[in-house]
């Protein structure tokens, strides 16, 4: 097993999120895992016995670039063939984080099932409350609105116009860009 691999579970493609190999003192070893259903996004726990085989899913991952939003769909361009593809808003995990740039698009049976952002992306702060001296004894935080409309908690010293790095997994401030 390896985190991130895709395989079939009950005929549906799933992605392995995390796993733990357990060797009890008595009995056979097994793997306790968390898998994400790629069709509906649900995460479930599954236990595999030692020696149990899995069937790899025939999903393809393509590097695409987000170009623009058209109503309820987003337009992406394939970086190899330069073809445009429209992806519905429901397929994208957090549309407010979407910014012009590259993403990884996973397809299965010519259907887009997942859009993955880079680990961290650079954004510009467009709106945040002013910083007052002596606000706190320790590092405090304030909400900041990014250029895409997303709201992130940032340290008090961040001001409007600054470029910051944000983690796309948990929407946390990582540092200045």
């Amino acid at each position: 097993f390896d985190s991130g691999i895709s395989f079939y579970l009950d005929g549906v493609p799933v992605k392995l999120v995390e796993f733990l190999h357990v060797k009890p003192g008595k009995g056979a070893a097994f793997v306790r895992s968390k898998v994400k259903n790629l069709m509906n996004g649900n995460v479930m726990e599954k236990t595999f016995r030692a020696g149990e085989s899995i069937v790899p899913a025939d999903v393809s991952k393509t590097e695409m670039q987000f170009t623009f939003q058209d109503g309820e769909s987003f337009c992406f361009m394939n970086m190899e063939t330069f073809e445009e593809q429209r992806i519905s808003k429901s397929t994208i995990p957090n549309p407010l984080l979407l910014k012009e740039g590259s993403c990884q698009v996973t397809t299965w049976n010519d259907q887009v099932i997942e859009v993955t952002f880079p680990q961290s992306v650079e954004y510009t702060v467009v709106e945040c409350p002013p910083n007052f001296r002596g606000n706190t004894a320790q590092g405090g935080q304030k909400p900041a609105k990014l250029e895409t409309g997303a709201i992130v908690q940032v340290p008090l010293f961040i001001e409007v116009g600054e470029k910051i790095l944000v983690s796309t997994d948990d929407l946390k401030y990582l540092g200045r860009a």
Side-chain angles (χ1 to χ4, degrees):
F1 278 142
D2 193 18
S3 292
I5 65 167
S6 300
F7 59 95
Y8 289 111
L9 184 65
D10 302 326
V12 178
V14 295
K15 180 169 91 174
L16 186 65
V17 178
E18 64 182 57
F19 68 95
L20 176 67
H21 191 264
V22 180
K23 289 190 263 183
K26 196 172 173 182
F30 59 91
V31 176
R32 190 174 294 135
S33 63
K34 281 188 181 176
V35 292
K36 178 182 178 186
N37 184 325
L38 291 175
M39 298 307 290
N40 58 21
N42 292 345
V43 176
M44 58 190 156
E45 292 193 9
K46 174 79 173 149
T47 303
F48 296 96
R49 293 184 306 275
E52 193 174 335
S53 60
I54 58 172
V55 179
D58 56 343
V59 296
S60 63
K61 296 180 179 182
T62 311
E63 199 69 30
M64 292 189 146
Q65 182 171 357
F66 169 66
T67 50
F68 63 91
Q69 181 178 358
D70 183 25
E72 288 296 307
S73 65
F74 295 90
C75 189
F76 286 83
M77 181 176 65
N78 188 324
M79 297 306 290
E80 294 168 8
T81 63
F82 301 108
E83 293 176 352
E84 286 190 350
Q85 182 170 7
R86 297 193 189 283
I87 299 174
S88 71
K89 195 174 193 174
S90 61
T91 309
I92 298 170
N94 193 343
L96 286 177
L97 290 178
L98 207 49
K99 179 180 171 178
E100 285 189 21
S102 67
C103 297
Q104 192 174 54
V105 177
T106 306
T107 55
W108 176 66
N109 288 348
D110 295 329
Q111 177 186 357
V112 175
I113 54 176
E114 186 180 36
V115 176
T116 309
F117 301 127
Q119 287 292 98
S120 64
V121 179
E122 181 180 307
Y123 296 98
T124 304
V125 176
V126 293
E127 186 181 311
C128 69
N131 187 14
F132 296 107
R133 276 191 100 179
N135 261 7
T136 178
Q138 297 172 343
Q141 301 220 315
K142 62 183 180 181
K145 188 174 186 178
L146 305 178
E147 61 195 288
T148 59
I151 303 219
V152 177
Q153 292 293 323
V154 297
L156 294 172
F157 57 82
I158 297 294
E159 296 179 10
V160 174
E162 286 196 51
K163 294 189 181 299
I164 61 170
L165 286 175
V166 176
S167 167
T168 56
D169 292 334
D170 52 7
L171 205 62
K172 294 221 186 291
Y173 169 83
L174 295 176
R176 286 180 166 151

